[in-house]
Amino acid sequence: MIKKTSSKVVGLILSFFVLTVGFVVFMPFLFMFAQSMRLPSDAYRLPPDWFPTTLDWTNYKTLFTSDLPMLNMLGNSALVTFSIIILRLIVAVLAAYAIAKIRYRGSNTIMVGFLASMMLPIQATIIPLYIIMSNLGLVNTRMSLIIIGIFDSFCIFMLKQSMATIPDSIVESAKIDGAGHMRICWQIVVPMIKSSLATMVILIFNGTWNDYFLPYIFISSWDKMTLPLGINALKGYMGSGNQSVILAAVSFAVTPILIIFLFGQRYIVEGLTASAVKG
């Protein structure tokens, strides 16, 4: 009886702690939305109001009627993000299957090389990447962002770990029935790692949608810029931009990420758990 009571107390304490942390994390988003609904003259009012006092959508209308082509930037972000998601998953699935389920000399060395590349930040390789894209004539094109985003060692590693949990007997049985590696990969293995694939989709979307560094380096035309560049441009010279309009743009850009995360958070837990079962 004492143990049961103590476990309930611990559960209540943990629940209270989780709710408190969740509230602290959520408050900046609420403040951002509240600020996006205010007039510019009220943006710096002290003490700040954490909740919206009115539902005024003027700042959102201003966002899409300004000189910046925000809708075009939204389309560019969507095009680059979804292209990278599809192409990166295709490459990662094939590479992960080749390492996890095909026995050949040097497979572990290749995986070690992939893992070693994860220690190099993109800033360390940006100069040779820029030279390559310049020689290919892809600077100031969305294709440069897509090509660079196709390969990702982390994605290959996570899918390889997930595929490693699939018994080799299933693959061998498919081979006996006459199936080739491509058919085994896409029709047998891939359906068994759906949670890991969903996790990768969410993580890739989040990373690509929010990416500022690569578009800043490779894109210089307004009609080809992505949303992060447009939000930065709204700041204006010396930060003189309309604070409420900037936060309206941030709210607009964050909304797809929040929706995808809320609907896909269980896949993140399942995918990361499945990828950590077997090394």
Side-chain angles (χ1 to χ4, degrees):
M1 185 69 180
I2 296 176
K3 290 183 178 180
K4 189 174 182 180
T5 304
S6 61
S7 63
K8 288 184 178 179
V9 172
V10 172
L12 289 173
I13 294 174
L14 289 176
S15 298
F16 177 76
F17 176 76
V18 171
L19 288 174
T20 303
V21 173
F23 180 76
V24 172
V25 172
F26 178 72
M27 285 305 293
F29 293 98
L30 182 60
F31 177 75
M32 174 183 67
F33 178 73
Q35 287 288 82
S36 69
M37 290 291 180
R38 295 195 180 99
L39 296 174
S41 57
D42 297 330
Y44 297 98
R45 185 171 54 188
L46 295 176
D49 291 327
W50 290 90
F51 299 94
T53 54
T54 59
L55 292 179
D56 188 355
W57 301 95
T58 303
N59 294 318
Y60 290 88
K61 295 178 182 178
T62 303
L63 179 65
F64 294 106
T65 56
S66 64
D67 295 333
L68 291 176
M70 296 302 296
L71 283 177
N72 194 31
M73 293 177 180
L74 172 65
N76 292 334
S77 290
L79 174 63
V80 172
T81 300
F82 289 110
S83 298
I84 290 178
I85 288 174
I86 295 172
L87 295 175
R88 184 181 293 182
L89 285 181
I90 292 174
V91 171
V93 165
L94 294 175
Y97 177 83
I99 296 173
K101 295 302 177 185
I102 300 178
R103 301 288 178 250
Y104 57 93
R105 182 180 298 177
S107 60
N108 291 331
T109 304
I110 294 174
M111 192 67 242
V112 170
F114 287 163
L115 294 176
S117 68
M118 292 171 60
M119 295 185 290
L120 287 175
I122 187 64
Q123 290 81 4
T125 58
I126 192 64
I127 293 177
L129 279 176
Y130 190 90
I131 293 174
I132 292 173
M133 292 300 160
S134 179
N135 291 334
L136 293 175
L138 296 177
V139 174
N140 196 30
T141 65
R142 288 159 294 197
M143 186 58 65
S144 61
L145 305 178
I146 295 173
I147 291 176
I148 294 173
I150 290 176
F151 177 82
D152 182 63
S153 299
F154 177 75
C155 188
I156 295 174
F157 171 72
M158 295 297 293
L159 294 183
K160 180 261 181 186
Q161 292 294 95
S162 185
M163 290 181 184
T165 63
I166 300 174
D168 292 336
S169 58
I170 296 178
V171 177
E172 295 300 326
S173 299
K175 289 181 181 178
I176 293 174
D177 291 337
H181 283 300
M182 290 297 291
R183 185 176 180 183
I184 295 173
C185 177
W186 294 108
Q187 295 186 9
I188 298 176
V189 175
V190 168
M192 298 177 71
I193 60 168
K194 287 182 179 179
S195 59
S196 295
L197 289 173
T199 302
M200 290 299 103
V201 168
I202 296 170
L203 295 179
I204 295 171
F205 181 91
N206 184 45
T208 307
W209 185 266
N210 290 325
D211 187 22
Y212 176 81
F213 180 72
L214 286 178
Y216 180 75
I217 296 296
F218 289 98
I219 304 298
S220 57
S221 300
W222 290 107
D223 61 328
K224 299 174 184 176
M225 289 184 179
T226 55
L227 270 179
L229 296 180
I231 293 173
N232 183 67
L234 286 172
K235 290 166 54 179
Y237 179 70
M238 299 292 290
S240 60
N242 188 327
Q243 189 75 13
S244 298
V245 175
I246 295 173
L247 290 177
V250 175
S251 301
F252 180 76
V254 167
T255 300
I257 299 174
L258 292 178
I259 294 174
I260 290 177
F261 179 77
L262 289 175
F263 284 99
Q265 58 182 330
R266 70 183 183 93
Y267 294 107
I268 295 179
V269 177
E270 293 177 3
L272 295 178
T273 302
S275 300
V277 171
K278 182 177 179 181

